Amino acid sequence: MKLCRAEYKTIAKFTDQLKPTRQSLKLLKERFPHHSQSTLLSIFSLEYQKRTKRSISKHHDPDVIESYYQRYLNEAKTRPSSPILLEMANEVDLSPSLLARVVVERFLQDQEDGVSVSKQVVSSMLREPTLIPDVHLARQVEQCTVNDCCYGPLVDCIKHAIGHEHEVLLRDKLRERNLSFLDENQLRAKGYDKTPDIILEVPIAVEGHVVHWIESKASFGDDQSHRTYLNEQFWSYWNRFGPGLVIYWYGFIAELDCQRDRGILLKDCFPSDIVTLCHGAGPS
Amino acid sequence: MAALLESLLLGKVEAGEAAIWLRNAQVGAALGALRRRPLEFVPFLLNFLRDQCSHTLAHGPATPAKMPSCPKASLRPSGGSGGRGRGSGLRAQQSSPAPAGGHHRGGGRKRSGGSAPTSGGRQGGLRGHQQDGAVACWENVGQRGRGGGGAKGGERQSPPTRVQVNSLEDFPPMTKCPSRATKPSRRINPTPVNGERPHSRPKSCFTSTPLSKPCSPPAFPECTGAAEANVGSPLSLREEREMLKRESSISVNLFCPLCVENLVPSVFLELFFTLQLLTSRSPSPAEGDSVGDNDADVLERGYFRSVHNCVYFAVKVLEDLFELLSHMDKCTLRLLAENERVGLFAPALREQLLKAQDVSTAKVSSAPPSFVHSVSFQPATDNRSNFSSDKAFHIFKKQRDIFYELLRDWEDFHKEPGWQFEAALGGRVRAMVSQLTAAGNHAHFARLFQKQLIQMCKDPRGVASHGDAPDADLLGMLGADSLGRLKRLQERLIQPQGLMGPCPPPSFPGHQEFFRDFLQTASCCQLNQHLKDSLWQELLQLDEVSILGPAAGTGGEGQEEAEGDLEQQDEKQRFSSVLLLARLLAKFLGFISFLPYQTSQPPSREIQEAAIAVRSRVVPVLDVCSVLHGCVRRRRMVLTVPWLVEFLSMLDFTGPYLPCYRTALGLLLRMVLGRGEVCYLNQMLLVAVLGWLFQIPMFPEDMIFREQLDLSEDFHASSQGLDSLPLVDQELLYTCCPYLGEFRKLLAAFVSGSTAKSGGLVRKITPTSAEPRGPPSTRSQQKLEAFFHNQPPSLRRTVEFVAERVGSNSVKHIKATLVSELVRGGERSLREAVAGDGASVPKINDVICARLCDAGMQALEEATRFCSEKGPVALKVLLPEETSPAVLSTAERITKRLATEKACTWLSANITGTAGPGEVLSVAAGPRDSDETFTVPQLQVLLERVGRTLACRKVNLAPHALLYKVLITRFHVFNHLLLRGGDVSVH
C-alpha cells in the first residue's frame, strides 16, 4: 500500500504515544481502518524503533540499570505472581524485551561474580527462558518477549519468517510467469560480492522500466529505512547489475519512488505490467 | 608577397597562373628555393582578405587564419613608421635591409628575372622570427624531400612581357606599411567601430576559446544586397563597380583554388569566413567613405568595405566550393538556398543548393545510445578469485559503490551554480583512490573506470541531442522562410547562443567532464599508469579492426552488388562505432599522458627549451609517427587520423616541439594535401579534423606553412585500405566535427538577426516533461542491450556472429535458388508474351507481376524459415553447455530475429524509394514489437505511398511487386491499389 508522506506522518504521529502491545495495534487499526494490519504494524514497528534509538542510552546508564534490577528484586519478593518486568517496562517507556535483556544481563553478572556475560548467551536465554537459572526471572522474561510486538526473539523470528515467506512468494510468482532467475544462494556460489534476492536471467520491463534484479522487502518503506537500503543495497545492485525493482510488500511512502528513470523502481506488490524481452519477437 | 598580390590584383599577373604555381609547388614539384614561396603567399593572402573585411565583419567569432607572422614581418619595413599609412599612396623602393644571415638555400633557387637582389631581407626576418618562437629546428624537418629537378619551375616562365610570378624580385617591393601598425601573430577580430562588441578579449580567445559572452547578433540592415554608393568617389559609380568587381574576381580566383585544393590550413575556417562575408552587415558610414579611394594603394583599397562586395565575393567563393557545400547537412543547404543574398547574387547557385538539398544523403541509422549505465559485474573478472586477498576484494566492493555514488552526485549537482568538482567531491575521490593504493586494486579500478567511460561517452550524439539538435530539427523543419514568421514566438523563447566559430578548443562534453575531473582530482600516478596501459591496449585493437570492402571480383551481377551494399552498410556502422570509440579513448589517453605537463599559460622560451631538452629523451607513450606512417602506408588514414587528432589535441604547450610530436604534426599538415583514392566524405572528415587541430590554441602557429614533408612514397605504397571505402557519412562527419554545425548557426542567426533584439540564435527550450520513449527500433535495441548487459560478453559476440552468417547464407541460398529461377521465368514469360501478338502491355505486366509477387512472398518465407532453422542450431553448438535454458532460448530468438532482419532487408534493399524498409518489413514480416503495429489509417498511407511510387516511377518491378504482393496478401482490403500499380513499365 502506497502512502503519501503526509498520510504516513499522520500515522507516525499517532504511534508516538503507543506502547508496543497488542492493545496498541487494536487502537491503530480502529483509527486507520482502511490500512492493512501489516502495514500499520510495520509502520508502528519502524516508528517505535526510532523512538527507542533516541531513548535507549538513558536506560543503559549503569545507575539506571541498577535501579531497574533492585526494583525487580524487591518486587519479586513482595508480589511474585505479578508481571513485574512487563509493568515496569510500560512504566519507564522501554520495550519489555529490552528491559528483560537489561535485567537478565545484570542478573548474570551477579551469578558470575561480576564478570559480564557474552551477548550470545544473553540472547539465547531470551530466546529460551528455561536456560535462565532463576525460574521466576525466566517466567518474567517470557512474559516480556511474548507481549512485545516490536523487539525480542519472537518478533525477530516472525520478521524473519515473513521475509522468507515473501521471498518464496516472489519466486513462485516468477516461476508462474515463466521468468528464469538466479537466487541469492546461486549468486553467492558464483562469487558475486553483492547479492539481491533475485537476478533475472533475461531482464523484463515493468511499467516501461527495465528490471534486472528484484529485492523483496517484507516491511514498509519509510524515508529512513529506504535511505539505508539505497545506500547499502539498492544502489550497489544497480552498480553491478543495472536497473532493478524493489518490492515493499507492506507499502512505502509514494514520494520515495522517484528514481524510476535512474533505475530503481518501487512496487508494493508483484507487478502485473510485465513485458518480457523479445515480446512478439518476429517470425518464429 | 605584397608585391605579388598587388600585381595580381592589378591584373599584371593572371590569377590562374598564380593558382597553378601555388598548387604545383604544394604538391611537391621541386621548385628549388622558391618552393617555400607559395606557402608564404597563402597566409599572406588569407590575412589580406581578413584585413579587408575587418570593417564589415563585426559579428560572430573571429576566424583568424592561424599562420606564422613572418610573411607579415617581411612586409613590414625594418624601422618603418608603423603608423597607418593609408592615403599616402606612395611607394618607396625597398632598400634591401638585413643581410641574408647565412640562411640561403643555395643552388635550388630559380630566378627568372635574374638581376634583382635576393630577398635576403625577407629571409632575415623569417629567421629572426623563428628564433623568437624557438622553433629553429623546424627548418630541418622542412627540408626533407626537397631537391631534385628544378625544371618545372623553369617551365612556368611567363612571357617576358609579363611579370614573373615566381620571382618576387620582379616587383618593386614596397615599404609602405599596411593599415595596421602592429600585427598580432594571431588575428584578433577587429573591433567594430560602432562598439557593439566587447572591445577587448583575452588573447587566447580569438581562435577558438568560447566567448564568455555570446556575440551580439548581427544587426542586419533592412535593405540588403544593395550596393553601397560612394558619393565621394572620384570615379563614376559604374566604373568603380566594374573595377571592384574585377578585383574581387581576382581575389576569388586566388582564394578558391586554395580552398578547393586544401592549400589552406582549414578549409572550413575559410568557408566560415566566407559565410561571415555573406551575412555581413553594412559598415558605419564614416568608414565606408574611403571605399574606392582611388589614390590609395591597391592593397589598401577597401574591397570589402561594402556589403555588396562582401556578398559578391562570398557568393563567388560559394559557387567555386559547391562540391564541398553540397556535402554539408540538409539544414545548412536549406538556409543557404533560402538566404536572400544568395538568391539575389547567384540564382543559379540557389538552384544548385536546392537540388543538393533534395539529394542530400539520407541519414544512416546509427547505433542508438546505450541505455544501461553501469558496468556489469562479471564473475570471470570480478569475483574473489581475481583479487589477492579477501581484504582487497572487500575494499574493491566498496570502491565500486563509492565510484558510482560520486558519479550520481556529479550528475545531480554539477550544473548547479558555484558547484565545483574539487570542493564537492575531491575529498571522497582521494580517500577512495588512496584505498586503491592500499589494496593494490588499481588495475581493477582502471578497468571499471574505462568501461564506465566507454559506456557513458562512446556516442557523443547523446550529448548533442540536448543542445544543438533541436535547433537543427526546428530550422530544418521550418526553413528560413517560415522561421521568419515565428519571430514573435522566438522573442519569447529566445535564449542567446553564441557562435563559437568552426574551431572551438578541445572540450569534454557531457559525462566526459566527470571522468576528466575525476582523474585530475584523484591525481594518482598509479591509476593513470594503469589507465594509460589499458587505453593504449584497446586503442591498438580498435585501430587494427578489419573493415571489409565490397567483395571484389565476384562478377558483375547486380544482385551480388546489392548484397555487397548491405554488408557494406554493416561494415560502415561498425566503422563508425570503432572510430567514435577510438577517438574517445585517444582523447583520454592524450589527456592522461600530457596532464603532468599542462600549464594554463605557455611557458617562457627558456623554460620551454629546457623542457624540450629533457622531454625529448623520454620515450613517448605513443609512437605517433610510426602509427601515422603505418596508416598512410596501409591507407587507413580515415580511421587512424581522427583518433590521433584527438590524442594530439591534448598536447601541452611544449609537446608540439618535441621531436616525435613535431614530426607527427608536420606529417598531418601535409596529409591534408595527400590525395590518392580517398572517398570524398572520408577526405572531408580528415580535412575537418585536421583543420580543427591546426587552429586550436595548443597548435603552434609558426608550424603551419612550414612543413614540407614528402609523403609520396607512403602514399603509393598500398592501394587497398579503408580510405577508398565509403565509410564516412554525413552523420558521422557531423558527430566527429560538431563545429561544422556552426555554419548552420551563422546562417540561422542571419535569418533571425533582423528581428531578434536581445539574443543571438533561437534555442528551443526543452520541455520539462520530455518524452521518455524512443522510436520502436530504439526500444527493441534497448531490450537487446538489456539482455546482454549481465551476460558474459562472449554471448553477445556469438549471437551477433551467428546472426550475421546465417542471414548472409540465407540470402545466398535464396539467390541461388529462388531468385535466379525467378529471373529466368520472368524473362521467359516476357519474351513469350511479347512474341505472341495482340498482348496488351498492362496484361503482360499483370501476369508477370503476379508471378513475381508469389515468388517474392515465397522468398521472404524462405528466408524466415532458413534463419529460424539454422540460427538456433549454430548457436547451440557455439554456446557453453551450461547456458541456462532461458538464456539460450532468448539468445536463439534474438539470433533468429537478427538473421531474418538481415535477410529481409536484403530482399527489400531495392525498394528504399518506396517506403521505409522497416515499415514495410514490419507489415510484411510481422511487427517486431507491439509498438510497431500499424493502425488502419497508417497502413492506408503506407500503401498509398507504395502505390504512388509504383505508378509514377520507372522502377525495378521485381522487388516492388514482391513487397507489394506481401502487403496485399495481408491486407486485401486494399486490393484496388494493385490496379494502380498495373501500368508500371518493366525494364
Side-chain angles (χ1 to χ4, degrees), chain A residues 180 190-191 201-202 212 235-236 238-241 262 277, chain B residues 374 376-377 397 401 411-412 783 786 790-791 884 886:
Chain A
S180 165
K190 286 190 171 193
E201 284 196 305
V202 180
H212 285 280
W235 283 128
S236 294
W238 185 95
N239 299 342
R240 288 157 180 77
F241 315 112
R262 252 205 174 148
L277 186 86
Chain B
S374 67
S376 81
F377 181 98
K397 176 169 85 179
D401 288 332
E411 282 179 336
D412 287 345
K783 288 183 189 169
N790 284 324
Q791 303 295 341
S884 90

PDB file of all heavy atoms in Angstrom, chain A residues 180 190-191 201-202 212 235-236 238-241 262 277, chain B residues 374 376-377 397 401 411-412 783 786 790-791 884 886:
ATOM      1  N   SER A 180      12.895 -16.857 -15.745  1.00  0.00           N
ATOM      2  CA  SER A 180      14.021 -17.603 -15.207  1.00  0.00           C
ATOM      3  C   SER A 180      14.947 -16.669 -14.429  1.00  0.00           C
ATOM      4  O   SER A 180      15.186 -15.544 -14.842  1.00  0.00           O
ATOM      5  CB  SER A 180      14.727 -18.254 -16.393  1.00  0.00           C
ATOM      6  OG  SER A 180      15.971 -18.701 -16.016  1.00  0.00           O
ATOM      7  N   LYS A 190      28.494 -18.194  -7.079  1.00  0.00           N
ATOM      8  CA  LYS A 190      29.280 -17.740  -8.235  1.00  0.00           C
ATOM      9  C   LYS A 190      30.296 -16.662  -7.866  1.00  0.00           C
ATOM     10  O   LYS A 190      31.059 -16.220  -8.724  1.00  0.00           O
ATOM     11  CB  LYS A 190      28.349 -17.167  -9.302  1.00  0.00           C
ATOM     12  CG  LYS A 190      27.554 -18.221 -10.055  1.00  0.00           C
ATOM     13  CD  LYS A 190      26.858 -17.591 -11.243  1.00  0.00           C
ATOM     14  CE  LYS A 190      26.233 -18.663 -12.128  1.00  0.00           C
ATOM     15  NZ  LYS A 190      25.840 -18.108 -13.419  1.00  0.00           N
ATOM     16  N   GLY A 191      30.228 -16.230  -6.638  1.00  0.00           N
ATOM     17  CA  GLY A 191      31.234 -15.269  -6.194  1.00  0.00           C
ATOM     18  C   GLY A 191      30.837 -13.804  -6.339  1.00  0.00           C
ATOM     19  O   GLY A 191      31.706 -12.934  -6.352  1.00  0.00           O
ATOM     20  N   GLU A 201      17.525 -13.863 -15.305  1.00  0.00           N
ATOM     21  CA  GLU A 201      18.462 -14.261 -16.358  1.00  0.00           C
ATOM     22  C   GLU A 201      18.180 -13.499 -17.647  1.00  0.00           C
ATOM     23  O   GLU A 201      19.081 -13.167 -18.395  1.00  0.00           O
ATOM     24  CB  GLU A 201      18.363 -15.764 -16.598  1.00  0.00           C
ATOM     25  CG  GLU A 201      19.048 -16.555 -15.514  1.00  0.00           C
ATOM     26  CD  GLU A 201      19.277 -17.982 -15.943  1.00  0.00           C
ATOM     27  OE1 GLU A 201      18.288 -18.650 -16.330  1.00  0.00           O
ATOM     28  OE2 GLU A 201      20.430 -18.430 -15.884  1.00  0.00           O
ATOM     29  N   VAL A 202      16.924 -13.272 -17.878  1.00  0.00           N
ATOM     30  CA  VAL A 202      16.528 -12.460 -19.029  1.00  0.00           C
ATOM     31  C   VAL A 202      15.720 -11.297 -18.474  1.00  0.00           C
ATOM     32  O   VAL A 202      14.676 -11.508 -17.866  1.00  0.00           O
ATOM     33  CB  VAL A 202      15.671 -13.281 -20.013  1.00  0.00           C
ATOM     34  CG1 VAL A 202      15.284 -12.424 -21.196  1.00  0.00           C
ATOM     35  CG2 VAL A 202      16.423 -14.519 -20.452  1.00  0.00           C
ATOM     36  N   HIS A 212      16.491  -5.786 -13.972  1.00  0.00           N
ATOM     37  CA  HIS A 212      17.441  -6.885 -13.998  1.00  0.00           C
ATOM     38  C   HIS A 212      17.382  -7.692 -12.707  1.00  0.00           C
ATOM     39  O   HIS A 212      17.690  -8.851 -12.703  1.00  0.00           O
ATOM     40  CB  HIS A 212      18.873  -6.355 -14.150  1.00  0.00           C
ATOM     41  CG  HIS A 212      19.197  -5.874 -15.522  1.00  0.00           C
ATOM     42  ND1 HIS A 212      19.532  -6.714 -16.544  1.00  0.00           N
ATOM     43  CD2 HIS A 212      19.226  -4.632 -16.057  1.00  0.00           C
ATOM     44  CE1 HIS A 212      19.771  -6.015 -17.654  1.00  0.00           C
ATOM     45  NE2 HIS A 212      19.590  -4.751 -17.378  1.00  0.00           N
ATOM     46  N   TRP A 235      21.537   0.682  -4.507  1.00  0.00           N
ATOM     47  CA  TRP A 235      22.498   1.285  -5.437  1.00  0.00           C
ATOM     48  C   TRP A 235      23.626   0.321  -5.763  1.00  0.00           C
ATOM     49  O   TRP A 235      24.116   0.265  -6.875  1.00  0.00           O
ATOM     50  CB  TRP A 235      23.071   2.601  -4.896  1.00  0.00           C
ATOM     51  CG  TRP A 235      22.139   3.774  -5.007  1.00  0.00           C
ATOM     52  CD1 TRP A 235      21.790   4.624  -4.005  1.00  0.00           C
ATOM     53  CD2 TRP A 235      21.447   4.244  -6.171  1.00  0.00           C
ATOM     54  NE1 TRP A 235      20.917   5.578  -4.470  1.00  0.00           N
ATOM     55  CE2 TRP A 235      20.696   5.374  -5.794  1.00  0.00           C
ATOM     56  CE3 TRP A 235      21.380   3.812  -7.490  1.00  0.00           C
ATOM     57  CZ2 TRP A 235      19.882   6.088  -6.689  1.00  0.00           C
ATOM     58  CZ3 TRP A 235      20.573   4.509  -8.391  1.00  0.00           C
ATOM     59  CH2 TRP A 235      19.845   5.632  -7.986  1.00  0.00           C
ATOM     60  N   SER A 236      24.016  -0.458  -4.770  1.00  0.00           N
ATOM     61  CA  SER A 236      25.059  -1.442  -5.028  1.00  0.00           C
ATOM     62  C   SER A 236      24.609  -2.433  -6.097  1.00  0.00           C
ATOM     63  O   SER A 236      25.392  -2.848  -6.945  1.00  0.00           O
ATOM     64  CB  SER A 236      25.404  -2.206  -3.760  1.00  0.00           C
ATOM     65  OG  SER A 236      25.996  -1.335  -2.828  1.00  0.00           O
ATOM     66  N   TRP A 238      22.400  -1.797  -8.410  1.00  0.00           N
ATOM     67  CA  TRP A 238      22.384  -1.015  -9.663  1.00  0.00           C
ATOM     68  C   TRP A 238      23.804  -0.916 -10.218  1.00  0.00           C
ATOM     69  O   TRP A 238      24.018  -1.061 -11.417  1.00  0.00           O
ATOM     70  CB  TRP A 238      21.817   0.382  -9.385  1.00  0.00           C
ATOM     71  CG  TRP A 238      21.650   1.228 -10.614  1.00  0.00           C
ATOM     72  CD1 TRP A 238      20.505   1.374 -11.351  1.00  0.00           C
ATOM     73  CD2 TRP A 238      22.640   2.041 -11.247  1.00  0.00           C
ATOM     74  NE1 TRP A 238      20.729   2.215 -12.403  1.00  0.00           N
ATOM     75  CE2 TRP A 238      22.026   2.636 -12.372  1.00  0.00           C
ATOM     76  CE3 TRP A 238      23.988   2.316 -10.989  1.00  0.00           C
ATOM     77  CZ2 TRP A 238      22.710   3.505 -13.228  1.00  0.00           C
ATOM     78  CZ3 TRP A 238      24.672   3.168 -11.845  1.00  0.00           C
ATOM     79  CH2 TRP A 238      24.031   3.754 -12.946  1.00  0.00           C
ATOM     80  N   ASN A 239      24.765  -0.677  -9.340  1.00  0.00           N
ATOM     81  CA  ASN A 239      26.152  -0.514  -9.773  1.00  0.00           C
ATOM     82  C   ASN A 239      26.706  -1.776 -10.433  1.00  0.00           C
ATOM     83  O   ASN A 239      27.702  -1.710 -11.135  1.00  0.00           O
ATOM     84  CB  ASN A 239      27.047  -0.175  -8.585  1.00  0.00           C
ATOM     85  CG  ASN A 239      26.653   1.121  -7.909  1.00  0.00           C
ATOM     86  OD1 ASN A 239      25.942   1.931  -8.509  1.00  0.00           O
ATOM     87  ND2 ASN A 239      27.086   1.319  -6.679  1.00  0.00           N
ATOM     88  N   ARG A 240      26.093  -2.893 -10.146  1.00  0.00           N
ATOM     89  CA  ARG A 240      26.608  -4.149 -10.686  1.00  0.00           C
ATOM     90  C   ARG A 240      25.722  -4.773 -11.739  1.00  0.00           C
ATOM     91  O   ARG A 240      26.207  -5.411 -12.668  1.00  0.00           O
ATOM     92  CB  ARG A 240      26.794  -5.160  -9.554  1.00  0.00           C
ATOM     93  CG  ARG A 240      27.957  -4.826  -8.660  1.00  0.00           C
ATOM     94  CD  ARG A 240      27.812  -5.453  -7.308  1.00  0.00           C
ATOM     95  NE  ARG A 240      28.946  -5.122  -6.454  1.00  0.00           N
ATOM     96  CZ  ARG A 240      29.121  -3.949  -5.849  1.00  0.00           C
ATOM     97  NH1 ARG A 240      28.224  -2.992  -6.016  1.00  0.00           N
ATOM     98  NH2 ARG A 240      30.175  -3.719  -5.111  1.00  0.00           N
ATOM     99  N   PHE A 241      24.431  -4.615 -11.581  1.00  0.00           N
ATOM    100  CA  PHE A 241      23.532  -5.354 -12.468  1.00  0.00           C
ATOM    101  C   PHE A 241      22.605  -4.456 -13.271  1.00  0.00           C
ATOM    102  O   PHE A 241      21.790  -4.932 -14.041  1.00  0.00           O
ATOM    103  CB  PHE A 241      22.697  -6.348 -11.643  1.00  0.00           C
ATOM    104  CG  PHE A 241      23.515  -7.105 -10.645  1.00  0.00           C
ATOM    105  CD1 PHE A 241      23.356  -6.905  -9.286  1.00  0.00           C
ATOM    106  CD2 PHE A 241      24.482  -8.002 -11.081  1.00  0.00           C
ATOM    107  CE1 PHE A 241      24.144  -7.596  -8.368  1.00  0.00           C
ATOM    108  CE2 PHE A 241      25.272  -8.687 -10.171  1.00  0.00           C
ATOM    109  CZ  PHE A 241      25.103  -8.481  -8.808  1.00  0.00           C
ATOM    110  N   ARG A 262      16.157   6.532 -13.130  1.00  0.00           N
ATOM    111  CA  ARG A 262      17.552   6.226 -12.850  1.00  0.00           C
ATOM    112  C   ARG A 262      17.799   4.751 -12.678  1.00  0.00           C
ATOM    113  O   ARG A 262      18.930   4.306 -12.646  1.00  0.00           O
ATOM    114  CB  ARG A 262      17.960   6.941 -11.573  1.00  0.00           C
ATOM    115  CG  ARG A 262      18.871   8.068 -11.908  1.00  0.00           C
ATOM    116  CD  ARG A 262      19.707   8.358 -10.725  1.00  0.00           C
ATOM    117  NE  ARG A 262      20.676   9.355 -11.094  1.00  0.00           N
ATOM    118  CZ  ARG A 262      21.139  10.243 -10.250  1.00  0.00           C
ATOM    119  NH1 ARG A 262      20.692  10.259  -9.031  1.00  0.00           N
ATOM    120  NH2 ARG A 262      22.033  11.098 -10.640  1.00  0.00           N
ATOM    121  N   LEU A 277      11.362  -9.758 -22.565  1.00  0.00           N
ATOM    122  CA  LEU A 277      12.221  -9.410 -23.698  1.00  0.00           C
ATOM    123  C   LEU A 277      11.771 -10.187 -24.925  1.00  0.00           C
ATOM    124  O   LEU A 277      11.326 -11.313 -24.836  1.00  0.00           O
ATOM    125  CB  LEU A 277      13.661  -9.769 -23.352  1.00  0.00           C
ATOM    126  CG  LEU A 277      14.663  -9.309 -24.400  1.00  0.00           C
ATOM    127  CD1 LEU A 277      15.086  -7.895 -24.133  1.00  0.00           C
ATOM    128  CD2 LEU A 277      15.862 -10.228 -24.389  1.00  0.00           C
TER     129      LEU A 277
ATOM    130  N   SER B 374      25.510   1.227 -16.046  1.00  0.00           N
ATOM    131  CA  SER B 374      26.572   0.747 -15.161  1.00  0.00           C
ATOM    132  C   SER B 374      27.337  -0.364 -15.865  1.00  0.00           C
ATOM    133  O   SER B 374      26.899  -0.910 -16.858  1.00  0.00           O
ATOM    134  CB  SER B 374      25.975   0.228 -13.857  1.00  0.00           C
ATOM    135  OG  SER B 374      25.224  -0.943 -14.112  1.00  0.00           O
ATOM    136  N   SER B 376      28.571  -4.060 -15.810  1.00  0.00           N
ATOM    137  CA  SER B 376      28.036  -5.223 -15.103  1.00  0.00           C
ATOM    138  C   SER B 376      29.140  -5.977 -14.381  1.00  0.00           C
ATOM    139  O   SER B 376      30.296  -5.972 -14.784  1.00  0.00           O
ATOM    140  CB  SER B 376      27.313  -6.150 -16.073  1.00  0.00           C
ATOM    141  OG  SER B 376      28.234  -6.956 -16.753  1.00  0.00           O
ATOM    142  N   PHE B 377      28.731  -6.614 -13.320  1.00  0.00           N
ATOM    143  CA  PHE B 377      29.649  -7.443 -12.540  1.00  0.00           C
ATOM    144  C   PHE B 377      29.806  -8.762 -13.276  1.00  0.00           C
ATOM    145  O   PHE B 377      28.835  -9.452 -13.543  1.00  0.00           O
ATOM    146  CB  PHE B 377      29.053  -7.667 -11.141  1.00  0.00           C
ATOM    147  CG  PHE B 377      29.908  -8.496 -10.232  1.00  0.00           C
ATOM    148  CD1 PHE B 377      30.735  -7.890  -9.305  1.00  0.00           C
ATOM    149  CD2 PHE B 377      29.881  -9.886 -10.298  1.00  0.00           C
ATOM    150  CE1 PHE B 377      31.521  -8.650  -8.457  1.00  0.00           C
ATOM    151  CE2 PHE B 377      30.665 -10.654  -9.454  1.00  0.00           C
ATOM    152  CZ  PHE B 377      31.490 -10.029  -8.521  1.00  0.00           C
ATOM    153  N   LYS B 397      34.898  -3.831  -3.499  1.00  0.00           N
ATOM    154  CA  LYS B 397      33.437  -3.797  -3.446  1.00  0.00           C
ATOM    155  C   LYS B 397      32.973  -2.402  -3.027  1.00  0.00           C
ATOM    156  O   LYS B 397      32.079  -1.812  -3.631  1.00  0.00           O
ATOM    157  CB  LYS B 397      32.949  -4.854  -2.448  1.00  0.00           C
ATOM    158  CG  LYS B 397      31.469  -4.856  -2.225  1.00  0.00           C
ATOM    159  CD  LYS B 397      31.033  -6.084  -1.443  1.00  0.00           C
ATOM    160  CE  LYS B 397      31.179  -5.879   0.054  1.00  0.00           C
ATOM    161  NZ  LYS B 397      30.731  -7.042   0.826  1.00  0.00           N
ATOM    162  N   ASP B 401      31.166   0.958  -5.283  1.00  0.00           N
ATOM    163  CA  ASP B 401      29.981   1.686  -4.846  1.00  0.00           C
ATOM    164  C   ASP B 401      30.267   3.173  -4.667  1.00  0.00           C
ATOM    165  O   ASP B 401      29.447   4.015  -5.021  1.00  0.00           O
ATOM    166  CB  ASP B 401      29.431   1.079  -3.557  1.00  0.00           C
ATOM    167  CG  ASP B 401      28.772  -0.269  -3.807  1.00  0.00           C
ATOM    168  OD1 ASP B 401      28.281  -0.470  -4.931  1.00  0.00           O
ATOM    169  OD2 ASP B 401      28.758  -1.117  -2.900  1.00  0.00           O
ATOM    170  N   GLU B 411      26.156  13.914 -11.327  1.00  0.00           N
ATOM    171  CA  GLU B 411      25.001  14.099 -12.213  1.00  0.00           C
ATOM    172  C   GLU B 411      23.972  15.027 -11.579  1.00  0.00           C
ATOM    173  O   GLU B 411      23.389  15.875 -12.241  1.00  0.00           O
ATOM    174  CB  GLU B 411      24.335  12.744 -12.504  1.00  0.00           C
ATOM    175  CG  GLU B 411      25.076  11.918 -13.531  1.00  0.00           C
ATOM    176  CD  GLU B 411      24.409  10.565 -13.770  1.00  0.00           C
ATOM    177  OE1 GLU B 411      23.690  10.088 -12.867  1.00  0.00           O
ATOM    178  OE2 GLU B 411      24.635   9.986 -14.848  1.00  0.00           O
ATOM    179  N   ASP B 412      23.778  14.862 -10.293  1.00  0.00           N
ATOM    180  CA  ASP B 412      22.735  15.636  -9.623  1.00  0.00           C
ATOM    181  C   ASP B 412      23.114  17.104  -9.446  1.00  0.00           C
ATOM    182  O   ASP B 412      22.258  17.970  -9.520  1.00  0.00           O
ATOM    183  CB  ASP B 412      22.445  15.029  -8.249  1.00  0.00           C
ATOM    184  CG  ASP B 412      21.684  13.721  -8.353  1.00  0.00           C
ATOM    185  OD1 ASP B 412      21.144  13.463  -9.448  1.00  0.00           O
ATOM    186  OD2 ASP B 412      21.640  12.965  -7.369  1.00  0.00           O
ATOM    187  N   LYS B 783      16.039  -3.289 -25.407  1.00  0.00           N
ATOM    188  CA  LYS B 783      15.822  -4.604 -24.806  1.00  0.00           C
ATOM    189  C   LYS B 783      17.012  -5.507 -25.065  1.00  0.00           C
ATOM    190  O   LYS B 783      17.429  -6.266 -24.192  1.00  0.00           O
ATOM    191  CB  LYS B 783      14.567  -5.229 -25.401  1.00  0.00           C
ATOM    192  CG  LYS B 783      13.274  -4.580 -24.946  1.00  0.00           C
ATOM    193  CD  LYS B 783      12.123  -5.332 -25.557  1.00  0.00           C
ATOM    194  CE  LYS B 783      10.804  -4.613 -25.340  1.00  0.00           C
ATOM    195  NZ  LYS B 783       9.756  -5.225 -26.173  1.00  0.00           N
ATOM    196  N   ALA B 786      19.764  -4.595 -22.856  1.00  0.00           N
ATOM    197  CA  ALA B 786      19.449  -5.018 -21.501  1.00  0.00           C
ATOM    198  C   ALA B 786      19.735  -6.500 -21.330  1.00  0.00           C
ATOM    199  O   ALA B 786      20.318  -6.918 -20.332  1.00  0.00           O
ATOM    200  CB  ALA B 786      17.985  -4.718 -21.188  1.00  0.00           C
ATOM    201  N   ASN B 790      24.046  -8.295 -18.409  1.00  0.00           N
ATOM    202  CA  ASN B 790      24.612  -9.113 -17.329  1.00  0.00           C
ATOM    203  C   ASN B 790      25.111 -10.469 -17.804  1.00  0.00           C
ATOM    204  O   ASN B 790      25.434 -11.333 -17.002  1.00  0.00           O
ATOM    205  CB  ASN B 790      23.584  -9.290 -16.214  1.00  0.00           C
ATOM    206  CG  ASN B 790      23.462  -8.020 -15.381  1.00  0.00           C
ATOM    207  OD1 ASN B 790      24.450  -7.333 -15.157  1.00  0.00           O
ATOM    208  ND2 ASN B 790      22.253  -7.690 -14.965  1.00  0.00           N
ATOM    209  N   GLN B 791      25.130 -10.647 -19.109  1.00  0.00           N
ATOM    210  CA  GLN B 791      25.660 -11.900 -19.638  1.00  0.00           C
ATOM    211  C   GLN B 791      27.140 -11.721 -19.947  1.00  0.00           C
ATOM    212  O   GLN B 791      27.593 -10.603 -20.167  1.00  0.00           O
ATOM    213  CB  GLN B 791      24.906 -12.282 -20.922  1.00  0.00           C
ATOM    214  CG  GLN B 791      23.403 -12.402 -20.759  1.00  0.00           C
ATOM    215  CD  GLN B 791      23.009 -13.534 -19.823  1.00  0.00           C
ATOM    216  OE1 GLN B 791      23.798 -14.436 -19.557  1.00  0.00           O
ATOM    217  NE2 GLN B 791      21.786 -13.457 -19.301  1.00  0.00           N
ATOM    218  N   SER B 884      21.958 -21.468 -19.394  1.00  0.00           N
ATOM    219  CA  SER B 884      20.637 -21.823 -18.879  1.00  0.00           C
ATOM    220  C   SER B 884      19.615 -21.792 -20.010  1.00  0.00           C
ATOM    221  O   SER B 884      19.758 -21.031 -20.971  1.00  0.00           O
ATOM    222  CB  SER B 884      20.222 -20.862 -17.773  1.00  0.00           C
ATOM    223  OG  SER B 884      19.530 -19.772 -18.319  1.00  0.00           O
ATOM    224  N   ALA B 886      16.685 -20.586 -20.309  1.00  0.00           N
ATOM    225  CA  ALA B 886      16.037 -19.304 -20.599  1.00  0.00           C
ATOM    226  C   ALA B 886      16.956 -18.410 -21.414  1.00  0.00           C
ATOM    227  O   ALA B 886      16.536 -17.762 -22.376  1.00  0.00           O
ATOM    228  CB  ALA B 886      15.658 -18.607 -19.300  1.00  0.00           C
TER     229      ALA B 886
END
